[in-house]
């Protein structure tokens, strides 16, 4: 998804000033506003309906604030609450387990005393909130600068007036923004996405909302590109590189006679293979090393076969 160059938008008075809800008895106006009217009053004709449509039109645009500092403070508050409940439970257990207390059954949940059962229920609820809040936001990656720029461009295309100023300031907290849709992209795909020239090639363009991807926004200043086409291209490129890495050294080794020269060629291709795995495909370090070891074994087998001839 990419935004086209911005269109000019004339100034207007602040949104929602002097706006009154239509009377129930008033007839509903169904006429469509002109382009000039939309540019003059984007807060009226676009607003949150248009902004929500735009955000939902591409999974990369589902960007929201993490609220790191507020989450930390809320966790500290919940942690202190859990500590208080823990201390209260310990005191309750000590009271009902003392020698002077009645013979209460402290070995049952089903027939536990009402006050302790209520306390445990409160502890469970607070602990659940504490654990969920600890992990909820941390698993989401930081929003890419390119996607943040696309959202800012949408606001700019509408004269920065479609959404109230104080309500769109969240997008200015770049270090605190997260993408709630995790997409595992290969480095090659990330390289295409980082290049405006490459990611806006006509061959990627989605012509309709029936194409693979979320429903498109009706905004004419937004152009959409098919993730499926780009991913297919990157997959074919990786397959081509992998095939070349297998076949090229075989032909080179076949043409060489010196064992030292063959070892030099094998060493070079092993290093290139490892670099390719690390920077072109999504692999973990141990996976890259394992694949490289298998690749080296294949080349060494060919070297031995060629030497026996």
């Amino acid at each position: 998804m990419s935004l086209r160059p911005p269109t000019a938008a004339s100034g207007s008075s602040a949104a929602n000033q002097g706006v009154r809800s239509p009377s129930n008895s008033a007839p509903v106006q169904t006429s469509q506003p002109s382009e000039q009217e939309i540019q003059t009053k984007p807060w009226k004709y676009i607003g949150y309906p248009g902004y929500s449509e735009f955000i939902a039109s591409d999974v990369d645009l589902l960007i929201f604030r993490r609220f790191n500092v507020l989450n930390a403070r809320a966790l500290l508050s919940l942690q202190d609450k859990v500590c208080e409940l823990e201390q209260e439970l310990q005191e309750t257990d000590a009271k009902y387990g003392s020698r002077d207390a009645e013979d209460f059954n402290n070995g049952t949940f089903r027939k536990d005393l009402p006050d302790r059962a209520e306390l445990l229920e409160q502890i469970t609820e607070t602990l659940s909130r504490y654990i969920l809040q600890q992990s909820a936001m941390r698993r989401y990656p930081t929003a890419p600068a390119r996607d943040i720029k696309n959202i800012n461009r949408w606001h700019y295309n509408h004269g920065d007036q479609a959404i109230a100023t104080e309500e769109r300031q969240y997008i200015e907290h770049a270090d605190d923004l997260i993408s709630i849709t995790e997409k595992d992209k290969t480095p090659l795909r990330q390289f295409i996405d980082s290049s405006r020239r490459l990611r806006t090639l006509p061959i990627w363009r989605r012509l309709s909302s029936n194409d693979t991807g979320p429903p498109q926004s009706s905004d004419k200043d937004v152009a959409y590109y098919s993730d499926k086409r780009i991913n297919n291209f990157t997959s074919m490129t990786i397959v081509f590189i992998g095939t070349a890495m297998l076949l090229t050294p075989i032909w080179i080794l076949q043409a060489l006679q010196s064992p030292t020269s063959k070892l030099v060629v094998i060493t070079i291709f092993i290093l290139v293979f490892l670099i390719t795995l690390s920077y072109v495909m999504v692999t973990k370090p141990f996976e890259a090393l394992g694949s490289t070891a298998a690749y080296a074994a294949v080349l060494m087998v060919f070297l031995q076969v060629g030497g026996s001839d």
Side-chain angles (χ1 to χ4, degrees):
M1 191 282 301
S2 180
L3 290 169
R4 296 173 181 169
T7 58
S10 59
S12 69
S13 60
N16 295 333
Q17 289 185 359
V19 178
R20 293 178 298 176
S21 299
S23 173
N24 293 334
S25 60
V28 178
Q29 299 295 327
T30 58
S31 60
Q32 296 298 320
S34 65
E35 185 65 29
Q36 180 62 33
E37 288 175 320
I38 294 176
Q39 292 181 7
T40 303
K41 299 179 180 179
W43 45 268
K44 176 180 180 180
Y45 299 110
I46 299 175
Y48 270 111
Y51 189 44
S52 301
E53 183 184 26
F54 170 69
I55 294 295
S57 65
D58 195 303
V59 293
D60 286 339
L61 298 177
L62 294 174
I63 293 174
F64 305 95
R65 280 194 65 181
R66 192 195 306 270
F67 293 103
N68 264 333
V69 176
L70 290 180
N71 267 294
R73 187 162 182 174
L75 280 171
L76 290 171
S77 175
L78 284 172
Q79 177 180 261
D80 184 63
K81 181 64 177 178
V82 171
C83 290
E84 285 184 345
L85 293 172
E86 179 186 30
Q87 183 177 356
E88 187 176 347
L89 179 62
Q90 291 173 349
E91 292 174 354
T92 301
D93 288 339
K95 181 178 68 172
Y96 292 139
S98 67
R99 183 176 182 181
D100 299 331
E102 296 183 24
D103 292 336
F104 297 113
N105 187 351
N106 294 314
T108 178
F109 283 122
R110 300 181 184 182
K111 297 180 181 181
D112 201 359
L113 295 167
D115 58 340
R116 184 162 54 187
E118 182 179 352
L119 178 60
L120 280 171
E121 185 176 350
Q122 189 176 359
I123 290 174
T124 302
E125 181 182 350
T126 308
L127 267 178
S128 298
R129 289 173 55 197
Y130 179 72
I131 295 172
L132 287 175
Q133 191 152 341
Q134 275 186 318
S135 59
M137 292 297 180
R138 296 298 172 185
R139 68 173 182 266
Y140 296 118
T142 301
R146 177 181 66 87
D147 297 330
I148 299 174
K149 185 177 180 181
N150 278 335
I151 295 178
N152 281 320
R153 178 68 67 183
W154 184 91
H155 289 292
Y156 180 69
N157 284 348
H158 296 93
D160 289 329
Q161 297 177 33
I163 301 298
T165 301
E166 62 274 13
E167 295 182 28
R168 59 179 167 81
Q169 287 179 342
Y170 79 94
I171 204 66
E172 298 175 6
H173 299 267
D175 295 336
D176 199 35
L177 295 176
I178 57 173
S179 296
I180 66 171
T181 304
E182 299 180 79
K183 296 175 69 176
D184 198 11
K185 296 182 179 180
T186 64
L188 180 59
R189 172 62 195 272
Q190 294 175 13
F191 173 74
I192 294 176
D193 286 344
S194 65
S195 170
R196 180 179 177 84
R197 183 185 296 266
L198 291 177
R199 73 172 184 268
T200 57
L201 290 175
I203 58 175
W204 314 134
R205 181 163 297 183
R206 286 164 47 190
L207 301 179
S208 69
S209 58
N210 293 328
D211 202 347
T212 302
Q216 297 182 10
S217 168
S218 56
D219 195 328
K220 67 180 182 61
D221 292 320
V222 182
Y224 292 90
Y225 299 89
S226 172
D227 273 344
K228 182 178 180 181
R229 296 180 190 177
I230 301 178
N231 288 335
N232 286 341
F233 171 79
T234 56
S235 297
M236 289 189 296
T237 301
I238 291 173
V239 169
F240 175 79
I241 293 175
T243 303
M245 291 293 297
L246 285 172
L247 297 181
T248 303
I250 291 177
W251 285 95
I252 294 177
L253 291 174
Q254 180 66 26
L256 296 176
Q257 300 297 328
S258 170
T260 302
S261 299
K262 292 183 178 182
L263 287 176
V264 170
V265 170
I266 290 175
T267 302
I268 292 173
F269 273 92
I270 289 174
L271 291 175
V272 173
F273 184 82
L274 180 59
I275 294 173
T276 302
L277 282 181
S278 302
Y279 292 98
V280 177
M281 292 180 281
V282 179
T283 54
K284 297 179 181 179
F286 67 89
E287 293 175 343
L289 289 175
S291 300
T292 303
Y295 178 72
V298 171
L299 295 183
M300 292 304 297
V301 167
F302 183 82
L303 175 63
Q304 294 175 358
V305 172
S308 63
D309 293 339

